[in-house]
Amino acid sequence: MVNGKTTAPLLLTCLVLCCLLAAAEPMWAGAATAEPENWQKEFDDVCSKTQDAMIFSQQELKALVDRCDALEPQIARLDETRKKVYLKRLQQCRGLYSYVLESKKQESKK
Amino acid sequence: MCSNPRSRKARSEPGLLVLLVVCGSLLAANSALAQSSPSQYGRVTLDSHSTRAGLGPVAFDHWLHRARFTCRVCHVDIGFAMQARATGITASTNRAGYHCGACHNGKTVVAGQPVFAACSDFASGKQCARCHSSDNAARTHNYDAFAAKLPMGAYGVDWEEAESSGLIKPVDFIEGASIRKPALKSQEDLPLKARVKWVSDITFSHKKHTAWNGCELCHPEIFPATQKGVVRYSMFQISSSQYCGACHGKVSFPVNACSGCHKNMKDKTSLQNVVVLPGPQKAAGFGSVKFMHKTHVGDRNAKCEACHHPSKPQKPRTEAEQGCSDCHTRNPVSPMKTPLRAAFHNSGATAGICINCHKDENSKNLNNDVEFIRTMMPRQQATMDAAKAQLVYGRDSEMRQLAQEIIREQQSNIEQMELWLKEHDSTSWAPVKCRDCHKKMNNQP
Amino acid sequence: MNARILAAFALILVLASPSLPQSFKKKRPLPYEFGRVVLGSGSTRTGLAPVVFEHWFHRARFSCRVCHVDIGFAMKTGETAIKAADNMRGYYCGACHNGKMLSEGRPVFEACSKNATADDAARCERCHSSGKPLKLENEFAQFARPFPKERFGNGLDWQQAEELGIIQPADFVKGLSIKRKSLSIQQDFALDAKLAGMPDIIFSHKKHTVWNGCELCHPEIFMGVKKGASRYTMVSIFEGKSCGACHNTVAFPLMDCQRCHSTPPVQR
């Protein structure tokens, strides 16, 4: 029997549960619509800047290279297919940044 | 040069002979010189699929096509490989307008007529034989009639002369296959130093070659070097169809026409006159041979090419009709110990580079009576020796008696022949004998 | 056989190998064959024919960068080691060949499906077709018709075709490509020809980055960081290094000298 004393806490509990459900729903949905994993977000963020590599300063490039290096162990823990794909892409991305960094160092030496 | 009388050389002979065997087989495999007649020269047999499809292999004659088109048009624009069966021509590629079908499509007009379509008229079956056959019955073009109008060189048609005098006008463009580009500036002539003293240096003319080939035919696949003077081309490589040998020897003038490239051959008197050729070291009684260049080249006017084949200028060559392996055999027959010697003459000294020439000479003045005696005498002597041995060692009386009769008979024959020789003039014809060449016996001056 | 003879044979092999006819002029691949890659590393073990991949078909629809950077294909046969499992998971070929992605309004057929039955054999053979007669030859003729023509390679001027809008290669594949800003372009620079008489080259970064982005070439193919320090030799290029990584296999072949060597040489 619902009486005035238990209604408010009950409603509050329901509200909290609903909020939790709403927030948690993405986790239950299929993998295709899931939040990208953290490493994926980081990867997309780091490697989307390759087109601008030429404009960055040496410090920025060094930071990007470091971020790539930090990503590597995370990618190495993935399943076989994704590891293969993303390690290669990371290698290209990191390679470009370190290449441009080297070029800039050479330029500044002159 | 090739003389090396040091006995130490025997130690390196196994390696040398194997090298020569490989070289010889390579040459035999690659040389088009086996087809020595001008009408056959430049014929390529194409059989990637023909025999499997039930047709004869295609016999492609270069002479007909090179009179009408430059080398570049087929080997660059259309893209034929320069080795048989490496292109992968099929009936379907021809029908699709590639390879032969670039012209053989019933539409392209050459010399005023549309060229017959390749691989399409199966019903009548007549057109197939125009390519898929090696006899000339089905072909409409005859080499002799064609070549009669053209200037001839040492080895067939002189194409260069034919073109410069305007008798042939090779076309450098095929509609649908060629795209014109502004030409790259042709490189200058290239000096190439000869490696041996007795041939002249070469001045390679880019201009003459690019007229037929453009740049892309040779560069970079045949001549990848981009720096002058870096690569030293050897005649051996060239005879193995590398570099210049990609064309020369297969379609262009063959490599044994030395003067085609080595113009102004060196003065013959500068040749080393006496060449000592090592005799069989261990065989009984035969010493080294002193070969006189002057006698052969000067007096008899033999051509250099007759003895020196281009792959190894120091080593003698077999005749044009023979394959290299005929002499450079794997197993020399005793008393020849090495295939190198076998090239000079076979075991009975009845054939070989030197013997054949002398035999030719001899046959011109052949006196068969003397030849008969010359052949029979050693045989009779051998028969007599065998009979004498029988008398010494034989036990059976019947056989001993037979041996005695044979001795009497042979002795009388030999005496008769010797008498005949004395009475008749046999000096006008002097057959070559071992001693005539192997004058110097071991350990004798 | 004693040691001397063995040594002699070894010597012969060493001496004879460079003199064996290796440098004969090879055939030119036919226009529909140029850019063909045969991928056989995994296929034969499973009983399927090696995969025949035609570049011309794909490069009309996508930029080089999309496959070789975003999807992650290597530039050499066998290096990627593509497996059916990878395709089924939506990577490599499966990034597009998944039955869902639309190209020119139609879904792209699925590659290597888990549910393949014997009836699907025809679909397997659309890629695993090495040695089988290809009907793509006819499709190429039709495909090539609107293109401006060029010498060698596929016989098509891909660059001009793109400028004229005949092809519009996409530079983005949803789900794999990262959204990027447009490129700030590296400058063109001159490469002097070493051989006297050969015209100099003006290398255009712009032309190349349109198709490739940066990561495709740097640093794997072009490692030099100092401008003017690397001396590219034609010999190394013919062997597939630097420019030869693409030119000769997929981009216009090196036989077309004037495409690069296009500047009239300055009178020295």
Side-chain angles (χ1 to χ4, degrees), chain B residues 181-199:
Chain B
K181 275 280 168 81
L184 281 170
K185 181 178 147 233
S186 180
Q187 297 292 309
E188 284 154 6
D189 290 354
L190 208 60
L192 295 162
K193 282 186 79 61
R195 288 187 186 195
V196 291
K197 285 184 286 207
W198 44 269
V199 289

Side-chain angles (χ1 to χ4, degrees), chain A residues 49-58 60-61 96-97 99-101 103-104 107, chain C residues 183-187 205 214 218 227:
Chain A
K49 300 184 169 56
T50 52
Q51 308 274 73
D52 293 327
M54 292 299 292
I55 326 177
F56 291 139
S57 67
Q58 288 191 33
E60 286 169 318
L61 286 168
L96 181 73
Y97 290 135
Y99 170 83
V100 177
L101 180 60
S103 314
K104 292 203 178 239
E107 286 281 318
Chain C
L183 182 63
S184 57
I185 295 160
Q186 173 65 298
Q187 285 165 344
H205 255 119
C214 311
H218 299 290
K227 227 175 272 184

